[in-house]
Amino acid sequence: MQNIRLTLQYDGTRYLGWQRPKKDGFEKTVSYKVTTALSRMTGEDITLYPGAKTDPGVHARSQTVSFLTGSSLSPEQIRAELNRFLPQDIAVLSSGTAPERFRADLNAKSRTYGYRICTSPVYDIFTAAFTACISPCPDISRMEAAAALLTGTHDFRFFSASRGKKGTGKNILDIRFEYEKESCFPGGGNPDTLVISLTADDFLSQMPQRIIGTLLEIGMHKRAADEIPDIFAGKACSSSCDAKGLLLTDVKY
């Protein structure tokens, strides 16, 4: 058996996230498209292990996926065939073999999401599908004060769509607010584009959106930074952001 490790990019606009139960729109997920293409190539029932389970509408600049296969196809043949069969909004950047015990979901040390915000009063039409628009720019100093309360290990149950009481403790390693210097979009980095980056050991369902949405409301003076402890305690509600500006940018191992 080969243990294959892929790096993917995808535009999540038309998908219900990375994965979803069969009774709840499985065929409209990114994992379904990749699994179907692999099964067609190998004749096997393939199980994919993703570095992160992105939510509906969320994009990925760098998603890591692993799977086991008995196929004789080489990693490079798998990459080439996948890019031939997959829709144009999903691309395989690289393919290689991984150690036998490697799993992209279990071995990940951290995940990073970036949220792009156009702060200019004139929207850039070439990046509109992947960028939120908030003008004028939210108050970064207020958001930084709130971010300091979010970093570290906390129970993020009330910053997620998760209904369980177990497994909701996560460690936010870093939250950054930086104007874009480099970009994969036309024209390179845009000085009017603010990027909020979140890095954690793992994320719950909807957790990136709710952290960013709450930070943005604080930055726009719609709520106070000191509400963060109240949200952790379930005494206040978190807010969500528009998913179109959110990209999975990195998974570290």
Side-chain angles (χ1 to χ4, degrees):
M1 297 287 283
Q2 295 187 88
N3 193 10
I4 301 296
R5 174 173 170 169
L6 306 175
T7 303
L8 307 178
Q9 284 187 343
Y10 48 84
D11 173 354
T13 303
R14 70 187 185 101
Y15 297 105
L16 295 177
W18 170 261
Q19 185 174 310
R20 220 166 174 86
K22 289 187 177 180
K23 64 178 182 179
D24 193 23
F26 176 57
E27 294 184 359
K28 296 180 180 179
T29 63
V30 178
S31 62
Y32 176 82
K33 298 296 184 183
V34 179
T35 301
T36 301
L38 284 170
S39 295
R40 177 179 177 183
M41 291 159 47
T42 64
E44 301 170 326
D45 290 329
I46 297 292
T47 299
L48 298 177
Y49 302 105
K53 293 180 180 179
T54 51
D55 292 312
V58 176
H59 320 293
R61 183 179 294 175
S62 183
Q63 165 74 290
T64 304
V65 179
S66 66
F67 65 93
L68 294 170
T69 177
S71 170
S72 61
L73 291 170
S74 70
E76 180 54 33
Q77 287 175 316
I78 290 173
R79 184 193 68 82
E81 289 298 294
L82 276 175
N83 282 330
R84 188 161 71 90
F85 289 133
L86 286 171
Q88 291 185 346
D89 51 9
I90 305 174
V92 181
L93 302 181
S94 66
S95 175
T97 56
E100 181 181 354
R101 298 178 68 87
F102 174 80
R103 270 185 48 168
D105 54 346
L106 299 181
N107 296 122
K109 302 298 184 185
S110 68
R111 289 91 169 164
T112 299
Y113 284 88
Y115 193 71
R116 305 178 76 253
I117 304 165
C118 174
T119 62
S120 169
V122 180
Y123 211 100
D124 182 353
I125 62 170
F126 293 105
T127 62
F130 304 95
T131 311
C133 183
I134 303 175
S135 181
C137 181
D139 188 327
I140 293 177
S141 63
R142 285 175 58 87
M143 293 192 291
E144 287 176 335
L149 299 174
L150 288 162
T151 52
T153 302
H154 303 280
D155 184 345
F156 284 92
R157 184 189 328 166
F158 298 108
F159 278 97
S160 78
S162 176
R163 293 294 178 264
K165 295 182 179 180
K166 295 183 179 180
T168 54
K170 304 298 177 185
N171 184 12
I172 298 289
L173 303 169
D174 190 36
I175 301 178
R176 297 187 182 186
F177 305 86
E178 299 175 318
Y179 280 96
E180 189 174 65
K181 296 177 182 178
E182 297 181 359
S183 175
C184 60
F185 299 105
N190 187 333
D192 291 323
T193 299
L194 175 67
V195 180
I196 302 176
S197 297
L198 303 179
T199 301
D201 59 349
D202 199 5
F203 288 92
L204 300 168
S205 174
Q206 299 289 323
M207 183 173 154
Q209 295 95 305
R210 296 197 182 193
I211 289 176
I212 291 170
T214 301
L215 288 172
L216 290 174
E217 286 200 345
I218 291 169
M220 292 186 286
H221 296 260
K222 293 183 178 180
R223 64 165 75 197
D226 59 12
E227 283 190 43
I228 297 297
D230 288 340
I231 298 174
F232 281 135
K235 298 177 182 178
C237 296
S238 57
S239 301
S240 190
C241 65
D242 187 347
K244 75 171 185 175
L246 190 62
L247 295 89
L248 175 67
T249 59
D250 194 22
V251 183
K252 294 288 190 189
Y253 292 90

